[in-house]
């Protein structure tokens, strides 16, 4: 159902167009037909109404425009209108534009990165641009989790953490040493509604304190149990 100025799709064998019936055939049909050329842009021929010959084809949006630039989508080059790059992110490290499906925003510094170049965190479920940003993003996530408990967290770059809680009766702190990977397992389990492999009935952030108590009693090493408060 073509109008005279409509852009034609690629023509192969169906290049005889019956204007009255508005159908294309692979042989001459009827009395009022138009033989489409594979290079014709529309039924009026190769020339546009405005006579401009410098327009470029936007492969992404499928239209002609004044200027395109090379971008990347799914690892392939694609020409895109320079005035319509909303679906593409500029990746500074590559000095190129990539489709947003192929990019991510660093969970720590916010820089746009290619997913294939980034580091994915199972804990935060985000991509990060480097090891330092990944560690900082994960540590912030752990602290936010601890914000729902009476415990305080001090994570270390060596993969361990100290978890501290004030013991009111003893007037001292209780300290636990735990590997951050083990703590991360707890957080991810609670996110799925489990604790020590068992489903939790009606999991709630308000109960994280008791969940952590139970967890630490089984997997952590407690030391200086009643260390005096400083």
């Amino acid at each position: 159902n073509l109008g005279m100025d409509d852009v034609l799709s690629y023509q192969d064998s169906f290049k005889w167009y019956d204007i009255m019936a508005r159908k294309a055939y692979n042989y001459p049909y009827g009395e009022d037909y138009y033989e489409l050329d594979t290079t014709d842009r529309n039924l009026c021929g190769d020339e546009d109404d405005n006579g401009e010959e410098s327009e470029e084809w936007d492969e992404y949006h499928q239209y002609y425009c004044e200027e395109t630039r090379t971008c990347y989508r799914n690892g392939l080059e694609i020409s895109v209108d320079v005035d319509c790059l909303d679906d593409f992110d500029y990746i500074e490290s590559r000095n190129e534009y990539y489709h947003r499906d192929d990019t991510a925003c660093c969970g720590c510094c916010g820089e746009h990165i290619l997913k294939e170049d980034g580091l994915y965190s199972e804990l935060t479920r985000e991509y990060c641009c480097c090891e330092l940003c990944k560690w900082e993003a994960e540590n912030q996530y752990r602290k936010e989790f601890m914000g729902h408990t009476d415990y305080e967290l001090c994570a270390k770059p060596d993969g361990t953490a100290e978890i501290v809680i004030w013991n009111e009766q003893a007037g001292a702190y209780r300290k636990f040493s735990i590997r951050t990977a083990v703590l991360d397992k707890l957080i991810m389990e609670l996110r799925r509604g489990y604790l020590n492999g068992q489903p939790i009935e009606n999991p709630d952030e308000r109960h994280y304190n008791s969940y952590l108590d139970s967890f630490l009693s089984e997997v952590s090493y407690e030391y200086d149990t009643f260390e005096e408060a400083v």
Side-chain angles (χ1 to χ4, degrees), residues 125 185-194 199-200 203:
R125 293 182 288 193
K185 179 183 177 182
L186 166 66
I187 297 174
M188 289 187 285
E189 268 200 320
L190 289 177
R191 196 163 59 193
R192 293 192 297 266
Y194 284 82
I200 302 171

Side-chain angles (χ1 to χ4, degrees), residues 2 8 13 17 21 35 48 58 64-66 95 102 111-113 121 123 131 147 161 165 172 191 225:
L2 293 172
L8 300 176
S13 58
Y17 184 68
E35 185 175 354
D48 299 331
D58 180 326
Y64 283 91
C65 60
E66 292 185 2
N95 194 29
D102 303 323
E111 179 182 351
H112 285 295
I113 57 174
S121 169
L123 178 63
E131 288 287 356
I165 188 170
R191 196 163 59 193
T225 305

Side-chain angles (χ1 to χ4, degrees), residues 14 58 72 80-81 89 91 93 96 109 111 138 192 205 230:
F14 290 85
D58 180 326
Y72 294 86
V80 185
D81 185 350
D89 294 321
I91 306 300
S93 61
E96 297 287 357
C109 69
E111 179 182 351
E138 290 180 338
R192 293 192 297 266
E205 291 177 349
V230 178

Side-chain angles (χ1 to χ4, degrees), residues 65-118:
C65 60
E66 292 185 2
E67 183 182 359
T68 62
R69 68 159 293 149
T70 298
C71 298
Y72 294 86
R73 185 186 188 192
N74 297 327
L76 301 176
E77 292 185 357
I78 186 171
S79 297
V80 185
D81 185 350
V82 295
D83 294 324
C84 196
L85 296 171
D86 294 345
D87 290 347
F88 294 80
D89 294 321
Y90 178 71
I91 306 300
E92 187 174 359
S93 61
R94 299 288 188 98
N95 194 29
E96 297 287 357
Y97 281 87
Y98 289 80
H99 193 269
R100 61 177 54 170
D101 288 346
D102 303 323
T103 68
C105 192
C106 175
C108 180
C109 69
E111 179 182 351
H112 285 295
I113 57 174
L114 273 180
K115 290 179 180 178
E116 64 183 49
D117 293 340

Side-chain angles (χ1 to χ4, degrees), residues 160-214:
T160 63
E162 286 184 355
I163 298 178
V164 182
I165 188 170
W166 176 252
N167 187 300
E168 193 68 40
Q169 291 181 339
Y173 287 104
R174 295 181 67 193
K175 286 187 177 181
F176 298 86
S177 179
I178 190 172
R179 288 187 295 115
T180 51
V182 176
L183 177 60
D184 294 348
K185 179 183 177 182
L186 166 66
I187 297 174
M188 289 187 285
E189 268 200 320
L190 289 177
R191 196 163 59 193
R192 293 192 297 266
Y194 284 82
L195 179 63
N196 295 331
Q198 300 299 318
I200 302 171
E201 186 175 351
N202 301 321
D204 193 303
E205 291 177 349
R206 292 171 297 180
H207 301 152
Y208 278 1
N209 211 70
S210 60
Y211 299 153
L212 192 55
D213 285 341
S214 174

